Amino acid sequence: MGNSDKFKEISRFETDLNRCVLCGFCTFFCPVYREELVESSLARGKIMMIRALIRGELEFSKEFSERLNTCLLCMACTAKCPAGAQVPPAILAARADRVRAKGLPFWKGLILRYLLPHRRLFGNTVKVASKFQGIFMPRAEGSIRHLAFFLSALGKGRRIPEIAGKFLRQQVPVVAKPPVGVETKMRVGYFIGCANDFIFPQVGKKTINFLNKNGVEVIIPKEQGCCGAPVWFGAGDFETGRKMADKILKVFQDVDIIVTDCATCSSALKEYPKFLADTPERMDSYSKFSAKVKDISEFLVDVLKLPASAYRASAQAKGLKVTWHDPCHLNRYQGLNKQPRQIIQSIPGIEFVEMPNADRCCGMAGTFSVDYYGLSKKITDQKIEGIRATGADVVVTECPGCMIQLIDNLARHEMPQKVMNLMELLE
Amino acid sequence: MLEREFISQLEKILGEKNVLTSKEDLTCYSYDAVGTWIHLPEVVIFPTDAEQISKVLKLADEGKIPVTARGGGTNVCGASVPIKGGIVLCLTKMNKILEINKANLTAMVEPGVVLQDFNMALAQQGLLFPPDPQSFFGCTMGGAVAENAGGPACVKYGVVRQYVLGLEVVLASGQIVKLGGVTAKNRTGYELGALFTGSEGTLGIITKIVFRLLPLPTAKTLTLVVYDDLSVAGESVSRILASGVVPSKIELLDDVFMGYTEKVVPLGLPTDAAGTLLIETDGATPEVAERERDLIVEVCTKGGAREVRVAKDAAEMTKWVMARAGAMGAILRSVTAVQEDIAVPRDKIPEFIRKAKDLWKQRGLRGSILGHAGDGNLHPAVLMDHKSEELYRKAMEAMEEVIDIALSLGGVLSGEHGIGLEKQKFLKKAMDPVAIELMKKIKGLLDPNNILNPGKIWEA
């Protein structure tokens, strides 16, 4: 590949770039193409643009960047690709080379490079913002409100859940031990995702309690920061991503297993070596680290191997009919789709119903839904129809991003379904 | 270069968002599904009705600007590549199923409807559009008509041409013409609709199609028959057809394809076999489909098959079908390949296989055969493990000889892919010269300024 420094990140995915044979199977599976019906939305179109970029026929122009950004990175194309081309990683790498060449837009740079890597400052900003919610914007019904400030970029009339009065990290100890009388079988580190920290702290509390009750001691390092997903696994700022990854590695160096209940976080942590390892040393340390990361569903089913009897319905979930939405980061990135279903189906007193297209992307895709809110909503409409067909009371998933998207869009469609994290089903 | 004024006129007709001119977007409409030919258009447009297309074609005709129609971009002969620049007229936004009439067994669709979407909608009403080009996930109905596409189901159900009852077409002059109708029979004048079916976008832009449909067969069986000799597999095909049973699919995969497919979708096929037939039977009841399967299995076993395996359930059937659909992709994961699309009379399949394999052996090339054996349409391929111009030239030369073998056996140059750019250099030897002249005259009559997909089918 010519001009190797300019395309340093892309060149690591050269095989995938070359593997696409242009057959066009992906047209049927790409949620963005299905709405836009233009080839630049599609894996095939993006591959051809990146190839032209490398040949020097295109540049990192505004138009090029726009087209790189209209990908959910949902991997639906890859799952069905007869040639086995993994196009989204190549697209992400192209974003990374673009960031190296052109930087990030101002507001993205501010939030992604400055706030997210500094968890305390981020937390304080969110806290200030939470004071103003409902003042600058009218309150919506129930516990769902319009947010001002911090998420104004996310806003645009979006109904997102209220920011927690007290963040998760303020509510949990550094070491959470199993209760008296329960033997400690294992010791794990718990990774707090930003969204669960600030918006869904009840999820994290559930996870920690459940682990404790099943004999797992949970270490919750206070110095941990963001996994970096929005920064690098979306916007393509690999350099900031590496700094964040290095910090996480250090914080969790003393535990052998790291568990998280955020599908995007577990996926991002596992993908450090694939995307961020720019030196042999980082490849080594990131690989060792990522091997320690377990998504909560994977940990409970494959590592802890809990018997079905360990799963009992929480008070709020008892007697409900639930359906499962596969987060792309859980299903296609980590291959975890049987585990969450197995857990749900083990809970007595909960009826499980499969939704059509359970594995179709919800349309959130992090900052994608900020940049392309209209398009994102259209993609979610398909998901909503699947949910409607189930007649379920609750949509269960394991990614806060998906939860935010589903809460917003179910409300927009005036649908009665609640949205819960998998762990909220459990007693 | 198109003038700004011309682009503005297009924007006025179609709305700004349906007119793309950025280099990025043009790049995305410069190829088809093989990428052998790359040429940028100067503008890409997305009309939403026939009236808009009529206005655009009038303008293009006045300015003698090339117009290349494109749907899902899944063709493999270069037909949708805008080799002379100009306008790519993309029909993906005209994607409505206008009517499904179960009582008349017909449907009316816009050209941008995707085949898989069409069949999913039809299946809900117990109906089927049988022709099944293996690009069904991406190909659009307009493209399927313009390419007169076919697939494995051809052996029993034929190709697209046999399902077109009516068309609405915009001519190069901008006139909108209705051809045929919605009746199963129609003996009114010349069969002009058939002219546009398979025209590769050179005679007009198809804007509406009425298809004949069939009831969806509710029962299916799928059987894998393994052979130690590929030409014996070929003999089985004609034996099956002569036995009085017409299966809905007979697909042939040789050892090379089996090997690569096995890597992607492990079916547990024997690695030392020479080839496999994948045979589907269908019917209104399981008894019908199973009885036909049993007869076929008997014919194959008597005809020298080594092993017969019946798919145990729907999931296994889907797995085998997907393995076949992805066979070419599976090969291209590891090697590059030159592939052809000849068709031979079905009783000549064994002879064709023997001659093609001998030829490759003589030339020291790695050849392979995959195809819709049930209809005699085979895709012989030469595989290359590395990119070498020398090897590519040798492969192309051998391919021309493979085409000659097919023609000498009474076969044709293209069974289902079309001529486009890919096969025009072979057209003269594969078609009566008077017929070529007639085609050119028809083209001249319908498109005197040669604006519709210029540079395709025959060499300039």
Side-chain angles (χ1 to χ4, degrees):
Chain A
M1 193 176 286
N3 216 340
S4 66
D5 185 62
K6 193 172 171 191
F7 305 119
K8 192 174 88 181
E9 305 295 351
I10 301 177
S11 63
R12 294 183 58 201
F13 297 92
E14 199 176 353
T15 315
D16 291 305
L17 206 55
N18 294 335
R19 200 165 249 179
C20 170
V21 295
L22 311 183
C23 71
F25 260 42
C26 46
T27 52
F28 193 75
F29 302 101
C30 173
V32 180
Y33 178 81
R34 296 284 288 181
E35 296 302 330
E36 300 283 275
L37 299 167
V38 298
E39 188 86 13
S40 62
S41 314
L42 190 66
R44 178 172 65 172
K46 287 177 173 28
I47 281 287
M48 289 304 267
M49 284 189 283
I50 295 171
R51 288 180 189 169
L53 175 83
I54 292 163
R55 287 197 303 268
E57 293 161 18
L58 293 177
E59 288 167 33
F60 283 123
S61 61
K62 186 169 159 277
E63 287 77 14
F64 189 91
S65 301
E66 282 266 324
R67 282 152 189 79
L68 273 185
N69 287 346
T70 53
C71 172
L72 301 157
L73 303 175
C74 76
M75 297 289 269
C77 54
T78 302
K80 305 288 182 185
C81 178
Q86 300 204 1
V87 179
I91 293 170
L92 181 57
R95 289 183 192 171
D97 281 327
R98 178 201 55 198
V99 170
R100 291 193 312 121
K102 300 273 173 178
L104 283 171
F106 176 74
W107 74 264
K108 267 195 191 170
L110 183 73
I111 294 180
L112 300 181
R113 281 194 168 151
Y114 196 63
L115 283 182
L116 244 54
H118 302 92
R119 182 71 74 102
R120 187 168 294 168
L121 179 61
F122 188 30
N124 288 337
T125 311
V126 171
K127 195 142 268 180
V128 171
S130 72
K131 305 276 186 255
F132 291 98
Q133 60 184 345
I135 296 176
F136 289 138
M137 303 280 253
R139 281 174 184 247
E141 279 173 32
S143 65
I144 296 169
R145 297 184 189 169
H146 292 279
L147 275 182
F149 196 57
F150 146 67
L151 293 171
S152 67
L154 268 174
K156 299 181 188 173
R158 182 194 290 268
R159 280 146 288 210
I160 37 182
E162 193 174 0
I163 285 174
K166 211 170 176 194
F167 297 155
L168 176 60
R169 68 181 55 228
Q170 299 167 307
Q171 303 185 44
V172 293
V174 176
V175 181
K177 287 186 191 281
V180 180
V182 176
E183 181 204 349
T184 302
K185 291 185 282 192
M186 216 178 268
R187 182 170 165 271
V188 303
Y190 173 70
F191 182 84
I192 304 179
C194 296
N196 283 342
D197 194 8
F198 304 141
I199 302 174
F200 305 113
Q202 78 279 6
V203 172
K205 276 165 57 186
K206 277 273 183 187
T207 301
I208 295 163
N209 281 338
F210 187 80
L211 289 172
N212 283 167
K213 270 172 61 179
N214 287 284
V216 180
E217 182 181 313
V218 184
I219 315 291
I220 311 148
K222 293 277 151 148
E223 318 79 61
Q224 61 178 297
C226 171
C227 68
V231 182
W232 66 269
F233 211 177
D237 183 353
F238 283 13
E239 194 192 323
T240 309
R242 279 177 201 115
K243 286 183 195 152
M244 296 166 85
D246 290 345
K247 189 174 161 192
I248 300 280
L249 254 69
K250 214 170 144 203
V251 169
F252 283 97
Q253 62 190 351
D254 296 330
V255 288
D256 296 329
I257 294 179
I258 298 145
V259 175
T260 181
D261 44 16
C262 167
T264 299
C265 294
S266 54
S267 151
L269 300 174
K270 285 183 186 180
E271 299 282 8
Y272 282 170
K274 180 166 175 178
F275 291 98
L276 299 182
D278 57 340
T279 60
E281 294 75 36
R282 276 208 175 100
M283 181 54 90
D284 182 54
S285 61
Y286 286 3
S287 300
K288 282 179 184 150
F289 170 80
S290 74
K292 297 199 284 186
V293 177
K294 301 287 169 203
D295 184 81
I296 186 71
S297 62
E298 179 186 19
F299 179 73
L300 297 179
V301 174
D302 299 337
V303 180
L304 213 51
K305 297 189 170 79
L306 286 182
S309 59
Y311 303 110
R312 280 190 299 277
S314 64
Q316 57 175 335
K318 231 169 242 167
L320 295 180
K321 185 171 171 181
V322 308
T323 188
W324 169 257
H325 159 69
D326 287 296
C328 304
H329 279 289
L330 196 64
N331 176 29
R332 280 183 291 271
Y333 279 91
Q334 302 183 62
L336 301 172
N337 47 54
K338 292 190 181 75
Q339 291 82 345
R341 285 177 174 80
Q342 187 183 321
I343 293 172
I344 297 172
Q345 286 170 309
S346 300
I347 309 172
I350 286 182
E351 186 190 342
F352 174 71
V353 52
E354 193 68 59
M355 78 165 86
N357 290 326
D359 66 350
R360 197 174 194 272
C361 176
C362 71
M364 175 75 179
T367 46
F368 175 91
S369 72
V370 179
D371 296 337
Y372 306 98
Y373 188 42
L375 175 56
S376 161
K377 281 195 287 193
K378 281 199 253 171
I379 293 167
T380 316
D381 285 348
Q382 306 278 332
K383 192 92 233 173
I384 297 292
E385 286 321 305
I387 295 169
R388 199 193 299 276
T390 62
D393 304 305
V394 180
V395 186
V396 184
T397 189
E398 205 226 285
C399 166
C402 301
M403 286 174 71
I404 290 171
Q405 185 78 354
L406 293 173
I407 289 170
D408 177 29
N409 283 278
L410 284 165
R412 185 166 63 84
H413 284 269
E414 298 178 345
M415 303 253 294
Q417 281 79 10
K418 284 204 173 94
V419 181
M420 287 186 195
N421 184 297
L422 176 66
M423 297 311 290
E424 292 179 88
L425 294 183
L426 297 173
E427 182 49 56
Chain B
M1 263 303 275
L2 293 179
E3 288 178 16
R4 182 61 230 171
E5 171 60 22
F6 184 81
I7 303 288
S8 301
Q9 283 174 301
L10 291 177
E11 286 173 345
K12 222 159 140 191
I13 298 168
L14 302 151
E16 271 182 42
K17 73 171 185 348
N18 290 322
V19 179
L20 306 180
T21 54
S22 79
K23 192 149 184 223
E24 287 76 11
D25 290 323
L26 302 181
T27 301
C28 290
Y29 290 88
S30 63
Y31 49 81
D32 66 355
V34 287
T36 309
W37 315 270
I38 305 255
H39 199 285
L40 293 190
E42 289 158 87
V43 61
V44 185
I45 60 167
F46 297 85
T48 50
D49 64 40
E51 288 296 329
Q52 290 180 347
I53 296 174
S54 164
K55 286 178 190 164
V56 169
L57 290 192
K58 269 183 203 153
L59 271 184
D61 202 39
E62 260 169 44
K64 297 192 171 51
I65 294 160
V67 179
T68 303
R70 187 187 195 271
T74 55
N75 67 97
V76 291
C77 65
S80 67
V81 177
I83 202 75
K84 305 278 183 195
I87 302 170
V88 161
L89 191 156
C90 187
L91 291 141
T92 47
K93 292 189 183 175
M94 287 176 70
N95 62 349
K96 285 193 277 299
I97 297 174
L98 300 169
E99 188 193 24
I100 296 174
N101 186 337
K102 191 170 181 176
N104 192 40
L105 288 179
T106 53
M108 188 188 287
V109 302
E110 290 188 324
V113 171
V114 173
L115 175 52
Q116 179 73 358
D117 286 322
F118 186 41
N119 262 328
M120 280 163 64
L122 291 175
Q124 284 180 359
Q125 303 197 29
L127 297 169
L128 172 71
F129 175 78
D132 56 347
Q134 295 297 283
S135 55
F136 52 84
F137 280 131
C139 78
T140 53
M141 300 315 295
V145 173
E147 291 293 319
N148 187 16
C154 172
V155 54
K156 182 169 179 178
Y157 295 107
V159 296
V160 168
R161 186 183 65 232
Q162 283 141 281
Y163 294 86
V164 179
L165 296 179
L167 290 179
E168 179 188 85
V169 178
V170 185
L171 302 178
S173 63
Q175 277 174 294
I176 302 175
V177 56
K178 289 186 168 53
L179 305 166
V182 295
T183 58
K185 282 180 172 173
N186 185 349
R187 268 300 302 118
T188 321
Y190 289 167
E191 191 93 19
L192 290 176
L195 200 54
F196 292 88
T197 306
S199 65
E200 300 188 17
T202 60
L203 299 180
I205 307 293
I206 297 165
T207 49
K208 218 175 265 174
I209 312 150
V210 179
F211 287 116
R212 182 170 76 89
L213 305 172
L214 291 180
L216 181 69
T218 48
K220 266 187 191 177
T221 77
L222 197 60
T223 307
L224 271 172
V225 187
V226 182
Y227 291 87
D228 282 328
D229 180 333
L230 195 64
S231 54
V232 175
E235 278 160 23
S236 276
V237 175
S238 16
R239 281 173 198 256
I240 292 166
L241 298 176
S243 76
V245 182
V246 181
S248 47
K249 279 172 198 162
I250 311 178
E251 293 291 287
L252 177 139
L253 290 138
D254 73 358
D255 51 348
V256 179
F257 274 98
M258 280 162 64
Y260 283 106
T261 304
E262 193 70 21
K263 282 189 208 167
V264 181
V265 188
L267 302 178
L269 292 171
T271 47
D272 58 339
T276 300
L277 291 179
L278 187 62
I279 304 171
E280 183 191 275
T281 64
D282 64 6
T285 63
E287 292 72 32
V288 174
E290 284 163 19
R291 194 177 147 265
E292 293 197 349
R293 177 199 61 203
D294 294 344
L295 286 169
I296 289 167
V297 167
E298 199 186 318
V299 171
C300 293
T301 315
K302 280 187 187 157
R306 156 169 154 183
E307 188 189 335
V308 175
R309 235 185 258 183
V310 176
K312 60 179 187 295
D313 54 21
E316 192 160 69
M317 275 190 221
T318 306
K319 190 175 167 190
W320 292 2
V321 168
M322 288 308 284
R324 161 60 191 94
M328 197 60 213
I331 277 227
L332 293 173
R333 283 183 187 207
S334 313
V335 294
T336 50
V338 187
Q339 199 185 25
E340 274 304 333
D341 173 43
I342 57 91
V344 294
R346 286 163 287 191
D347 56 338
K348 298 287 194 289
I349 292 174
E351 195 176 343
F352 174 81
I353 291 173
R354 274 195 297 274
K355 286 186 167 167
K357 292 232 159 189
D358 284 350
L359 174 85
W360 289 325
K361 206 171 168 187
Q362 272 174 32
R363 297 282 188 285
L365 292 166
R366 196 159 161 239
S368 175
I369 294 177
L370 162 91
H372 318 305
D375 53 51
N377 183 196
L378 302 173
H379 299 309
V382 173
L383 313 185
M384 292 166 284
D385 295 333
H386 56 95
K387 282 178 191 160
S388 135
E389 275 181 31
E390 164 71 10
L391 202 55
Y392 182 75
R393 192 183 49 74
K394 273 175 82 178
M396 292 307 282
E397 281 168 12
M399 270 309 185
E400 182 161 2
E401 289 184 66
V402 167
I403 290 168
D404 291 340
I405 294 170
L407 295 177
S408 73
L409 295 171
V412 294
L413 178 55
S414 172
E416 59 181 8
H417 294 170
I419 305 301
L421 292 167
E422 189 196 14
K423 304 181 194 74
Q424 45 182 257
K425 59 176 178 286
F426 305 126
L427 190 71
K428 277 186 191 149
K429 64 167 139 191
M431 201 173 182
D432 186 325
V434 181
I436 296 176
E437 272 318 297
L438 271 177
M439 288 203 301
K440 289 182 179 174
K441 280 181 186 159
I442 292 168
K443 169 76 173 168
L445 182 70
L446 289 171
D447 180 18
N449 289 322
N450 193 26
I451 61 163
L452 293 173
N453 208 4
K456 303 294 165 65
I457 305 182
W458 52 79
E459 284 179 306

